[in-house]
Amino acid sequence: MNYTDQIREIASRLLENGQVDMVMAWEKGAFDYQSLPYVARSLEDIDKMIFDDYCVHNLSTSLLRYRDSNEKIGIVVKGCDSRGLVRLLEDNQIKRERLYIIGVCCSGVMDPLQAMIANSGFSRIKDTSGLAAKCANCIQPNPVIYDELVGATQEARGPANRFEKVSEIENMSVEERRAFFEDVFSRCIRCYACRQACIACDCRTCIFEETRPQWVGRETSISDNMMYHMVRSMHMAGRCIDCGECERVCPVGIPLMLINRKLIKEVDHLYGPYEAGMVYIEGQKPPFSVYDEKDQDDFI
Ligand code: SF4
Ligand code: SF4
Ligand code: SF4
């Protein structure tokens, strides 16, 4: 999947016409398996712009850096990234009229972290030829929102039942589940990479950074870790766009998508049919962002 020429052509046109102040895409890093987020602000910058099999990052997350400016931004998005854009638009983080969206129909990307490990000298992973895990489970390879489209429409390649692993956990006894999650979360080093990579974590002040009051302890004890993951996952309910970025960047391999998918499943069941970020309708909000007097819960 190499759309470099097409994307450079579009970016040149947008910058030349003054339609945008910058175009967000990728540039090549030091290694073949590194493609890094990149911002072009002038025609001279265009030559560095690329799109290849390692353009794994969700660029929509980088838009948060520009949420307080007025600049018009061209941005290249794959299917999953475009769902992230819908998240930001629904959350009022950026205005649609500030964006020129270059959508890429995506046949899947590779995982640079896996390639890095394989090239680290320890050779723990031999085969890095496959798609990144998030792509194996992709249900939306084509952009859901765009101004211009690149590439031919792709078939979704997600598994028949992406909730299979969730069902396995559901079928455990309470004690087994607790033991499972204690084991999994005891590995968490609270680096917050999962939060930083997440498009839905768009609060200006994160509850985990607050010290007065300090809502969640900062130790990597099992109780503080459990609290962190419970709070973060609840904040994702009805908002997670299933992009898999949190799990991809976790340095200790915590299966975060298990929790996210459980919530996706429950929100769809209780408030659906609903899948976050699949369509942008101005003014429409995700289920937990609206309140109705006819809501069933007594406490409201
Ligand atoms: S999750 Fe889907 S849209 Fe996103 S990079 Fe993978 S295949 Fe492409
Ligand atoms: S919680 Fe994970 S899968 Fe969901 S939107 Fe955030 S990074 Fe993507
Ligand atoms: S990325 Fe992994 S280790 Fe870091 S805070 Fe998230 S779950 Fe914990």
Side-chain angles (χ1 to χ4, degrees):
M1 190 171 55
N2 190 329
Y3 297 128
T4 300
D5 290 344
Q6 284 149 283
I7 287 169
R8 283 184 187 175
E9 212 175 291
I10 297 169
S12 301
R13 192 186 73 229
L14 295 176
L15 286 168
E16 205 160 27
N17 295 345
Q19 258 176 286
V20 298
D21 299 296
M22 65 174 97
V23 180
M24 295 171 72
W26 292 265
E27 67 174 328
K28 215 54 212 161
F31 300 101
D32 286 349
Y33 52 81
Q34 278 181 331
S35 298
L36 312 172
Y38 177 68
V39 173
R41 287 183 173 272
S42 68
L43 291 178
E44 291 74 54
D45 296 337
I46 296 288
D47 284 352
K48 284 179 84 176
M49 199 176 259
I50 57 111
F51 187 95
D52 68 8
D53 287 341
Y54 281 106
C55 292
V56 70
H57 305 94
N58 183 348
L59 293 185
S60 314
T61 318
S62 308
L63 278 177
L64 288 171
R65 294 181 190 187
Y66 303 97
R67 62 182 150 187
D68 294 325
S69 78
N70 291 317
E71 290 169 304
K72 291 202 78 173
I73 302 172
I75 181 168
V76 182
V77 292
K78 310 180 293 292
C80 53
D81 312 338
S82 75
R83 293 179 65 189
L85 282 184
V86 174
R87 170 80 292 107
L88 293 184
L89 292 167
E90 284 183 347
D91 290 354
N92 288 329
Q93 296 301 312
I94 197 144
K95 291 201 180 326
R96 176 68 179 93
E97 55 268 27
R98 283 187 57 205
L99 300 176
Y100 189 94
I101 304 167
I102 306 161
V104 168
C105 296
C106 179
S107 54
V109 290
M110 320 264 271
D111 189 336
L113 294 182
Q114 299 299 309
M116 193 178 289
I117 292 168
N119 283 278
S120 67
F122 295 101
S123 294
R124 281 177 290 166
I125 297 173
K126 299 281 183 218
D127 181 13
T128 57
S129 58
L131 293 178
K134 69 175 193 169
C135 301
N137 292 315
C138 178
I139 59 165
Q140 188 59 47
N142 306 304
V144 296
I145 182 172
Y146 58 86
D147 295 300
E148 202 161 334
L149 200 59
V150 173
T153 308
Q154 301 289 318
E155 292 288 326
R157 71 187 68 75
N161 180 8
R162 70 191 153 118
F163 301 111
E164 200 174 343
K165 289 217 165 76
V166 171
S167 302
E168 278 174 29
I169 307 289
E170 285 170 343
N171 289 332
M172 290 177 177
S173 67
V174 173
E175 293 71 29
E176 284 170 335
R177 268 208 298 274
R178 171 175 280 277
F180 174 82
F181 281 113
E182 280 190 354
D183 178 46
V184 158
F185 290 134
S186 65
R187 299 207 300 267
C188 175
I189 55 172
R190 300 287 289 283
C191 65
Y192 296 152
C194 49
R195 179 192 67 177
Q196 293 309 110
C198 177
I199 187 66
C201 271
D202 56 26
C203 294
R204 286 174 187 270
T205 306
C206 175
I207 185 173
F208 305 116
E209 303 294 352
E210 288 191 345
T211 49
R212 290 187 184 177
Q214 186 177 54
W215 299 99
V216 182
R218 297 201 168 186
E219 279 182 48
T220 50
S221 63
I222 189 61
S223 64
D224 284 350
N225 284 1
M226 288 284 247
M227 192 66 182
Y228 166 66
H229 286 284
M230 268 193 288
V231 171
R232 202 182 96 81
S233 57
M234 285 302 148
H235 288 186
M236 293 302 111
R239 303 178 63 251
C240 169
I241 52 140
D242 202 2
C243 69
E245 279 291 273
C246 49
E247 186 172 290
R248 181 182 71 79
V249 299
C250 178
V252 292
I254 294 181
L256 294 166
M257 291 312 292
L258 261 182
I259 315 230
N260 295 330
R261 292 232 166 87
K262 169 68 175 166
L263 286 161
I264 289 170
K265 185 181 168 189
E266 291 302 323
V267 171
D268 178 54
H269 172 65
L270 294 169
Y271 300 91
Y274 183 75
E275 189 80 47
M278 283 301 210
V279 61
Y280 177 60
I281 299 170
E282 206 175 338
Q284 186 165 293
K285 298 287 173 197
F288 295 149
S289 298
V290 286
Y291 152 72
D292 191 310
E293 284 181 4
K294 295 198 183 87
D295 282 347
Q296 288 174 19
D297 295 304
D298 296 338
F299 69 91
I300 296 177

